[in-house]
Amino acid sequence: MGETTVTTLEGREEAVPHPVADDTGVGFLHRLRAPRRPRLWFEILLIAVSYWTYSLIRNAVPEQKAEALRNADWIWKAEQHLGIAVEQSVNHAVNSVTWLIVGMNYYYATLHFVVTLGVLVWLYRGHPGRYAATRTVLFATTGVALVGYYLYPLAPPRLMNGGRFVDTVMVHQTWGSMASGDLKNMSNQYAAMPSMHIGWSLWCGLTIFALASVPWVRLLGLLYPTLTLVVIVATANHFWLDAVGGLLCLAFGYGVARAWYGSLPHAMPRVVHRPQPLVPTQA
């Protein structure tokens, strides 16, 4: 067993050892890493359980108000030192245009989820071979963000002591922000670093830019995280540096996917073909 018979030029038959594939160890890891067509029921369950777990852990992190406010003061002073502390000016300028700030409030509350889920569905239907790797980026990005929430509690600008920022949801009585109004007791108020609005929107934007075939759709992919950055600052929910934290989390997510799959998601095959059964050949 494990040998095959060949005929040499002299007509003699010799037994040549034939390696037997090992289905354990490396073979098992190879199968785990290989692109495969996602299963709808599993993906829906995975997303639901993962988001529930993420929300549970994020909101269970102690709301260390004093430390969060100290960190916010430090961030604000650091940005002033760097000459990028324009959040207050943006917040006040946009707040003076009612229709614009109300629109941004609803943007902040809804598109974060709607666009992300939309991109996941698009990947599932149009790029099944890249779906698992791209989803891994998103999950790893979100997972490492939880570490940031625990290690570095941070108050958003609208909750700073003496920051003179406008809480636009409270002022304009718009619906939807888990961090303001009647829903604020359901969410950790001091988990602003890193910004997952930026982490998720960048994930969406880069995925669309890398995989979409229509030029204007690719352009929209780049525009989405850019507009999200303006929105999180204008609504006083984040500092600029929170966005940097979100970017670093996304870089970590891509690193995890690259290490596991051996390739960046966009470079993987678009479609996973089922292996064809071997047909025995005639001798």
Side-chain angles (χ1 to χ4, degrees):
M1 183 178 294
E3 297 182 348
T4 186
T5 303
V6 298
T7 303
T8 64
L9 292 176
E10 293 79 12
R12 295 191 298 252
E13 293 184 345
E14 295 182 357
V16 179
H18 187 277
V20 179
D22 183 7
D23 289 335
T24 61
V26 175
F28 176 71
L29 286 177
H30 177 74
R31 290 197 302 274
L32 283 179
R33 294 170 176 171
R36 66 187 67 194
R37 189 171 187 84
R39 298 178 180 178
L40 181 60
W41 68 267
F42 176 78
E43 295 302 326
I44 292 176
L45 181 63
L46 181 62
I47 291 171
V49 171
S50 299
Y51 184 73
W52 176 80
T53 304
Y54 164 76
S55 299
L56 186 67
I57 295 175
R58 181 181 184 271
N59 296 333
V61 172
E63 292 196 2
Q64 300 165 311
K65 180 177 180 179
E67 184 178 357
L69 290 172
R70 285 195 301 270
N71 289 337
D73 289 337
W74 186 91
I75 289 283
W76 186 234
K77 290 176 182 177
E79 289 191 351
Q80 288 175 325
H81 179 73
L82 294 171
I84 60 173
V86 298
E87 289 94 331
Q88 189 177 98
S89 299
V90 174
N91 173 236
H92 286 206
V94 177
N95 184 66
S96 65
V97 183
T98 302
W99 65 266
L100 180 58
I101 193 59
V102 168
M104 286 189 173
N105 284 341
Y106 286 122
Y107 179 113
Y108 183 88
T110 59
L111 293 193
H112 178 53
F113 304 102
V114 172
V115 175
T116 304
L117 287 174
V119 172
L120 283 170
V121 171
W122 172 63
L123 284 169
Y124 178 88
R125 293 177 59 87
H127 299 265
R130 297 162 177 154
Y131 177 88
T134 314
R135 182 248 289 144
T136 297
V137 174
L138 181 64
F139 279 35
T141 298
T142 306
V144 76
L146 292 173
V147 179
Y149 300 145
Y150 185 85
L151 296 179
Y152 196 78
L154 180 68
R158 60 188 176 76
L159 294 182
M160 285 181 64
N161 291 327
R164 299 194 303 277
F165 285 90
V166 178
D167 188 334
T168 58
V169 170
M170 292 292 291
V171 169
H172 297 279
Q173 296 296 302
T174 49
W175 165 89
S177 175
M178 292 293 290
S180 297
D182 295 334
L183 299 176
K184 66 182 179 181
N185 293 326
M186 298 173 59
S187 177
N188 186 350
Q189 297 290 285
Y190 303 106
M193 172 68 83
S195 168
M196 279 299 93
H197 271 74
I198 291 300
W200 288 14
S201 66
L202 268 175
W203 174 85
C204 292
L206 291 176
T207 299
I208 293 170
F209 180 77
L211 301 181
S213 57
V214 181
W216 67 265
V217 174
R218 301 181 71 201
L219 181 61
L220 283 180
L222 296 181
L223 183 62
Y224 174 54
T226 304
L227 185 55
T228 300
L229 177 61
V230 175
V231 168
I232 67 172
V233 170
T235 56
N237 280 293
H238 289 284
F239 296 100
W240 295 118
L241 292 182
D242 299 345
V244 175
L247 174 62
L248 293 176
C249 288
L250 182 65
F252 173 83
Y254 274 108
V256 169
R258 176 67 175 82
W260 181 252
Y261 290 98
S263 173
L264 290 175
H266 71 273
M268 300 183 73
R270 176 176 180 173
V271 179
V272 180
H273 297 285
R274 293 181 179 178
Q276 298 296 323
L278 295 178
V279 179
T281 58
Q282 298 293 330

